[in-house]
Amino acid sequence: MTSVVTRIFSSFFHGFLRGLVRAWLLVVPLVVALTLIRLGQLAYFWPAGYQVPPHDIGTVVFQGFRFDLKVSAIAGVLLLLVLPWVSGKANGRIAGGLAFVYVMLSLVNLHYFGFYKTPIDSLVFGLVEDDTAAVLETIWRDFPVVWTLLLALGLSAATVFLHRRLLARLNPDTLLQTRHWAIKAVVAVVVFFALVFAGKGTLREMALQRQHLTVTTSQFLNDMVPNGVIALKYAWDSRGLSQNLQNPLAGLKSMGFDNALAAAEVLGLPHGSEAEVKAALTAHDPLPAGAPKKNLVFFLMESFSAEPMLYQAPKFDVLGRLAPTLDHACHFSNFDSAQPGTHPSLEAILFSSPITPLTLGDAGRKPIPWAIPKVVRDAGYQTLFVTSARSGWRDLNRVLKVQGFDEVVDANTLKEAYPEATLGIWGVWDSYVFQYLSKRLAAQPVDKPIFVFVLTSTNHPPYDLPADYQRVPRDMALWGGETNSDTLRLNLDSYHYAADLLGAFVQEVQQGPLRASTLVAATGDHNVRSFGIYAEAQRRYLLRQVPFLIWGEGLACGAQQALPASHRDMFNTLLPLAGITGPYVNSGRNLLRAVGAPPSPVDAPRAMFFTGEARNAQGMWQLGNPASFVCSSAQKSTADCRFNALDDQQERARYGLLDWNVRNALKK
């Protein structure tokens, strides 16, 4: 009996040792492959003329190596359940499959950074939440899919080859066969814990976490640290937090506050109870008696970036008929989007929510009390959503009507109204939206004000345009931005197409019978990938910038047009201007008012990006992370440029309260 137990134990022990050696001999080539991809990513996206200290590059490569080792070692630990017992052939197949997954994820991360200027984040799940066929077609047309797959297969094959060579050289079945059992035991313990600590990423400190991705003052370099596996893991974590509304304090806690009262106190809001805080978030100054209600037409323009407007000139026309309207507009030129994607920005604007996706589940099936269309409809307006895209995208046709829009007009509606319209990847050409709007506004009853929210789609990859569109010649020497993108010229054409249509519509309103009773406003949903990586500190502020424009008769634009602002400020500005009252959230400030001296915490001129970043007149940073601050300003001044702890605290409080407002109201 004893000999049987001994043989079983010996067999198990030898199998465990075999599995440990196999695991480590898989970890090593995986780390090599992921590191090579990171170095390639650095070289591929390195901006011309960009200079950083060599020490920073070394720091990024080393920190990236630590994350590569972490994810590879974790896989090794998990595979200990099977590696000790499978055949050599099965071991090779496991190595090949894991290598392809890891390599492919990191190559996807590379292309994702090129598109969104960030490693993989929660927007990646749009592949299944958007029109999947349209997304895949765009990827096929806009990215080197075949070459990426071939590279992934090649790197995976090289990883497996290295794994096999290491196995042949250090054969786990014979390496320790003649050694004493005590030596084998020591080796097993050391190798096992080495694998465990490699998965932790450190010996003494806390395990490598998201905050350890920030290792330099250059966000461009920091974005090179995560491999595709760890980036996807953190994206999944963020998505889980956004989808679970059961804990109303989740966002506040992440911003460093124990409760809503503490955050409200930082902002100088009433904070005697949660009810007081809730009331303060939707309290507004009364409008002047007899203030007329004006029509409000709001455009969320696809990829309407701010940077091309900086170079507008007769020989570099990117605005078309929009250019002459700017002299009569309130143009907020130092303005950021709320999110890096269309649907997240749409939700941030309509629902004052840093949580996204918010309305794909149960939350979208019941009215959100402070939703902008609901507030406006309750104020006596007819509400209309118009888009050149298909409204089935992200369930907009269902969600928008629940949230206060009387009617949703989309690509299918426009195709029915205009049979000659062609349905493309994302919908019909934007020109049909503007044709429809002109007729619809002309037929609107005088005694019924209307709110129209317009979402365009043509200025979107792959940047197709109607066959009859006349491309505008441009002197590309006047483009002051980066020129690395091979779609830059195509993107400038589609940008001009959309901006020109908007300009024609604005001119029509300004010259027609609705000029005194109608406000027109426009912004972009996000910046666009073709215009640069924005690695240089002095250009970093442009990363999220989109214009915000308001046209209306007799506007007093005030002194805030060049101050930092963002999407959160738009409807706090537009609704009072249109004569609309209601329980909309004070997500930002009224940009037409004078800035106090000193400004109050809730009216301070700052911008917020709802993924957890903020920007003031000196620079930008990740909330709660002083080490992430980078001096970057449209004012080109470096005076007093340093991290401001008070600004950070107030922005964390604002973000936390907006998050709490959503979770507290919508939790089941």
Side-chain angles (χ1 to χ4, degrees), residues 203-218:
L203 288 175
R204 299 175 57 188
E205 302 171 352
M206 67 163 54
L208 283 179
Q209 300 291 339
R210 190 193 298 253
Q211 63 264 32
H212 296 118
L213 296 176
T214 302
V215 291
T216 75
T217 58
S218 168

Side-chain angles (χ1 to χ4, degrees), residues 30 59 78 89-90 98 130 172 193 202 243 245 274 290 343 364 378 406 443 463 546 559 623:
L30 282 176
T59 300
L78 295 176
K89 188 175 183 180
L98 184 65
D130 288 346
F193 280 102
T202 181
Q243 294 295 292
L245 303 179
E274 288 190 353
H343 187 258
D378 290 347
D406 296 317
Y463 309 119
V546 293
L623 294 177

Side-chain angles (χ1 to χ4, degrees), residues 418-489:
Y418 304 97
E420 73 278 10
T422 302
L423 276 170
I425 297 177
W426 295 106
V428 298
W429 305 122
D430 288 345
S431 59
Y432 294 106
V433 164
F434 290 95
Q435 289 182 50
Y436 179 86
L437 280 178
S438 296
K439 292 183 178 180
R440 186 64 180 265
L441 288 179
Q444 184 68 18
V446 177
D447 60 345
K448 184 68 172 180
I450 188 171
F451 167 56
V452 187
F453 192 109
V454 184
L455 175 64
T456 66
S457 66
T458 298
N459 186 33
H460 188 288
Y463 309 119
D464 288 339
L465 287 170
D468 60 352
Y469 172 72
Q470 298 296 314
R471 297 182 185 270
V472 177
R474 297 182 187 87
D475 181 358
M476 291 303 294
L478 298 178
W479 171 254
E482 300 168 46
T483 57
N484 295 343
S485 174
D486 56 2
T487 59
L488 175 60
R489 292 175 183 269

Side-chain angles (χ1 to χ4, degrees), residues 160-361:
V160 173
F161 175 78
L162 179 57
H163 175 60
R164 287 176 175 172
R165 289 299 300 269
L166 291 172
L167 279 174
R169 191 168 184 94
L170 301 171
N171 191 330
D173 289 321
T174 60
L175 180 64
L176 299 173
Q177 194 172 38
T178 61
R179 303 292 189 243
H180 191 274
W181 69 267
I183 296 176
K184 295 178 183 179
V186 170
V187 170
V189 171
V190 171
V191 172
F192 174 74
F193 280 102
L195 194 64
V196 170
F197 280 110
K200 182 184 176 186
T202 181
L203 288 175
R204 299 175 57 188
E205 302 171 352
M206 67 163 54
L208 283 179
Q209 300 291 339
R210 190 193 298 253
Q211 63 264 32
H212 296 118
L213 296 176
T214 302
V215 291
T216 75
T217 58
S218 168
Q219 189 58 47
F220 168 74
L221 290 181
N222 292 337
D223 286 342
M224 299 295 114
V225 172
N227 52 60
V229 180
I230 202 70
L232 183 61
K233 190 267 183 188
Y234 291 147
W236 181 263
D237 291 346
S238 297
R239 178 177 173 79
L241 181 64
S242 73
Q243 294 295 292
N244 183 4
L245 303 179
Q246 301 312 301
N247 180 9
L249 299 181
L252 283 166
K253 294 280 189 181
S254 71
M255 290 292 119
F257 297 95
D258 290 332
N259 52 55
L261 309 185
E265 183 177 10
V266 166
L267 294 175
L269 298 175
H271 53 278
S273 66
E274 288 190 353
E276 280 191 10
V277 176
K278 182 74 174 177
L281 285 175
T282 55
H284 310 286
D285 294 336
L287 297 178
K293 285 183 167 60
K294 294 188 175 183
N295 300 321
L296 177 56
V297 184
F298 178 87
F299 290 89
L300 186 61
M301 304 285 288
E302 171 66 43
S303 301
F304 191 35
S305 303
E307 187 175 11
M309 299 180 74
L310 299 176
Y311 317 126
Q312 168 68 21
K315 293 185 178 180
F316 192 84
D317 183 14
V318 290
L319 298 180
R321 286 170 286 182
L322 185 65
T325 72
L326 298 183
D327 293 337
H328 310 289
C330 296
H331 179 191
F332 298 93
S333 58
N334 194 5
F335 196 87
D336 291 359
S337 67
Q339 292 275 7
T342 302
H343 187 258
S345 283
L346 182 68
E347 290 197 321
I349 293 166
L350 292 180
F351 310 123
S352 301
S353 170
I355 302 170
T356 189
L358 179 66
T359 57
L360 290 183

Side-chain angles (χ1 to χ4, degrees), residues 17-65:
L17 273 175
R18 182 193 307 117
L20 281 172
V21 175
R22 284 177 170 179
W24 263 113
L25 296 186
L26 177 56
V27 167
V28 172
L30 282 176
V31 170
V32 171
L34 296 181
T35 299
L36 286 175
I37 293 173
R38 177 176 296 100
L39 294 173
Q41 183 171 330
L42 271 166
Y44 186 73
F45 289 115
W46 194 270
Y50 183 54
Q51 296 182 349
V52 295
H55 174 267
D56 284 358
I57 300 175
T59 300
V60 166
V61 173
F62 176 70
Q63 192 74 343
F65 167 82

